[in-house]
């Protein structure tokens, strides 16, 4: 018995056992490291490509907003019919843009004449009205300035009630529209969930009286003529990207002031199960688009792990 134990614990056998353990650990570490390196490079490139695609789409949306502003400056007297035609063209070719609106900047002294002009233009019984976060409409009391919606495409039974709504009724939005009017900036925000287009990304861009944008904050405020807004359906905007990155966790949110609104969320789907995921940190990549009035951010996350086939190969090698 003593001889058997001594033989089992002989230096040569101990050395062989230690070598076997060392080789096994080395093989596992090499497998772990190569798997991490491969997926880090692959996923980083996929995330960067996706961020570039989104950046180009956001740039395209901003260019469309700029073209609406240019249309207003070139032909303000005929902007209603021109905007209708151009907006329909945009909506036809960009299905991720769910609506395009025009809002005005109206003083209390101009309110009655503005409402009369809008009614005469074809919007029967047009009135400037208030709205709450839950979407309930109300009579608008006397206010120094208002931002009523004066045009909307597409005009549907589900959203027609927005015509005449004073955007300044929404907490904080009046101050933000004042700010972008003075600074000639773009506002990134969202409407409340209970509103038409609620929960979507909304971009506001101011316009001014005349054919040139005023040079100073004071003159821009004096010549403020409201502006345009677009609502963006992020699920449609990201549809192609989401299909390519179905195994990624994707989050899109907009920040304005102290408010953060999630616009889109995708949970990852794996064609094959991943094992030992706890051994790997989650890869993260984010992209941001910032204006002075808000920030849009998109975050990609990817979990790395071992596939069943890789574990089988490693076990076979061992």
């Amino acid at each position: 018995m003593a001889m058997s134990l001594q033989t089992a614990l002989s230096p040569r056998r101990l050395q062989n056992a230690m070598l076997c353990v060392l080789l096994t650990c080395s093989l596992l570490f090499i497998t772990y490291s190569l798997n991490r390196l491969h997926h880090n490079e692959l996923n980083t490139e996929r995330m960067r490509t996706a961020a570039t695609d989104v950046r180009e789409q956001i740039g395209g949306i901003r260019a469309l907003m700029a073209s609406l502003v240019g249309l207003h400056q070139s032909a303000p007297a005929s902007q209603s019919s021109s905007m209708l035609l151009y907006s329909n063209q945009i909506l036809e070719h960009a299905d991720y843009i769910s609506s395009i609106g025009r809002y005005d900047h109206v003083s209390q002294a101009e309110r009655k004449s503005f409402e009369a002009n809008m009614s005469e233009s074809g919007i029967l019984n047009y009135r400037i009205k208030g709205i709450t976060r839950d979407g309930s409409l109300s009579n608008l009391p006397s206010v120094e300035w208002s931002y009523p919606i004066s045009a909307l495409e597409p005009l549907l039974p589900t959203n027609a009630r927005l015509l005449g709504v004073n955007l300044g009724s929404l907490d904080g939005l009046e101050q933000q529209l004042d700010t972008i009017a003075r600074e000639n900036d773009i506002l990134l925000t969202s409407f409340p969930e209970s509103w038409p287009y609620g929960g979507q990304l909304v971009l506001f861009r101011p316009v001014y009286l005349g054919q040139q944008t005023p040079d100073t904050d004071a003159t821009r405020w004096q010549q403020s003529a409201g502006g345009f807004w677009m609502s963006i359906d992020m699920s449609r905007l990201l549809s192609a990207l989401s299909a390519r990155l179905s195994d990624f966790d994707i989050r899109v949110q907009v920040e304005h002031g102290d408010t953060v609104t999630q616009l889109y969320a995708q949970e990852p789907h794996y064609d094959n199960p991943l094992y030992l995921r706890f051994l790997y940190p989650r890869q993260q990549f984010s992209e941001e688009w910032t204006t002075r009035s808000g920030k849009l951010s998109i975050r990609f996350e990817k979990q790395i792990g071992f596939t069943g086939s890789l574990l089988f190969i490693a076990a076979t090698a061992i």
Side-chain angles (χ1 to χ4, degrees):
M1 180 69 178
M3 181 64 69
S4 298
L5 181 61
Q6 184 177 6
T7 302
L9 296 178
S10 67
R12 179 177 292 277
R13 293 200 175 192
L14 284 174
Q15 185 179 25
N16 290 338
M18 291 290 292
L19 182 60
C20 182
V21 170
L22 180 61
L23 289 175
T24 300
C25 291
S26 299
L27 179 60
L28 290 175
F29 179 75
I30 291 172
T31 303
Y32 166 86
S33 300
L34 290 177
N35 187 52
R36 179 174 182 175
L37 179 62
H38 168 71
H39 285 287
N40 277 348
E41 293 179 348
L42 176 63
N43 293 330
T44 297
E45 181 60 29
R46 292 174 69 194
M47 288 187 283
R48 285 177 176 169
T49 301
T52 300
D53 291 345
V54 176
R55 192 182 306 119
E56 291 176 351
Q57 290 176 307
I58 297 297
I61 293 170
R62 298 182 69 161
L64 290 173
M65 290 290 286
S67 65
L68 284 170
V69 173
L71 181 66
H72 166 82
Q73 291 177 333
S74 63
S78 60
Q79 64 170 292
S80 180
S81 58
S82 300
M83 177 199 159
L84 175 63
L85 178 61
Y86 187 53
S87 297
N88 284 330
Q89 292 175 346
I90 293 175
L91 293 169
E92 182 179 347
H93 292 93
D95 66 344
Y96 51 84
I97 299 178
S98 53
S99 68
I100 299 174
R102 172 80 170 93
Y103 66 96
D104 282 87
H105 191 209
V106 180
S107 67
Q108 181 60 31
E110 300 168 324
R111 178 173 172 176
K112 286 189 177 298
S113 61
F114 177 80
E115 291 174 334
N117 290 336
M118 291 299 298
S119 295
E120 291 173 3
S121 70
I123 305 178
L124 189 63
N125 296 324
Y126 181 91
R127 293 290 182 271
I128 300 177
K129 52 202 174 188
I131 191 170
T132 61
R133 291 196 68 85
D134 66 6
S136 301
L137 301 178
S138 62
N139 293 324
L140 184 70
S142 175
V143 291
E144 185 178 3
W145 291 95
S146 59
Y147 287 104
I149 296 175
S150 54
L152 181 61
E153 288 296 328
L155 189 58
L156 306 168
T158 54
N159 65 14
R161 63 193 180 96
L162 287 180
L163 286 176
V165 160
N166 172 32
L167 292 168
S169 301
L170 186 62
D171 292 343
L173 187 54
E174 180 178 14
Q175 292 75 19
Q176 292 171 326
L177 293 177
D178 288 347
T179 298
I180 65 171
R182 288 189 172 93
E183 299 179 350
N184 189 29
D185 196 13
I186 292 178
L187 172 62
L188 303 172
T189 186
S190 62
F191 287 151
E193 287 286 350
S194 55
W195 286 29
Y197 313 111
Q200 297 184 7
L201 174 66
V202 181
L203 288 80
F204 288 90
R205 175 76 185 266
V207 296
Y208 305 92
L209 300 173
Q211 296 183 333
Q212 298 292 331
T213 300
D215 295 330
T216 66
D217 288 4
T219 54
R220 282 193 287 265
W221 173 251
Q222 291 170 359
Q223 298 182 42
S224 171
F228 294 98
W229 55 270
M230 285 184 181
S231 60
I232 311 298
D233 186 334
M234 295 304 296
S235 61
R236 289 188 175 183
L237 181 73
L238 300 176
S239 59
L241 180 148
S242 298
R244 296 201 315 267
L245 301 182
S246 60
D247 52 340
F248 279 73
D249 185 308
I250 303 176
R251 296 288 184 272
V252 181
Q253 65 182 31
V254 62
E255 301 176 30
H256 46 96
D258 296 328
T259 304
V260 179
T261 303
Q262 182 168 280
L263 303 174
Y264 179 81
Q266 172 183 289
E267 297 296 332
H269 170 75
Y270 302 104
D271 294 331
N272 298 303
L274 296 178
Y275 302 97
L276 304 178
R277 288 183 287 180
F278 65 91
L279 295 175
Y280 292 97
R282 291 173 67 89
Q283 282 185 270
Q284 296 184 1
F285 187 87
S286 62
E287 186 79 11
E288 296 180 350
W289 295 267
T290 303
T291 70
R292 284 170 286 187
S293 303
K295 179 173 69 175
L296 175 69
S297 60
I298 179 168
R299 188 183 78 247
F300 304 95
E301 289 191 5
K302 180 69 169 68
Q303 180 63 60
I304 303 175
F306 289 97
T307 62
S309 58
L310 183 60
L311 281 179
F312 176 78
I313 293 172
T316 302
I318 293 173

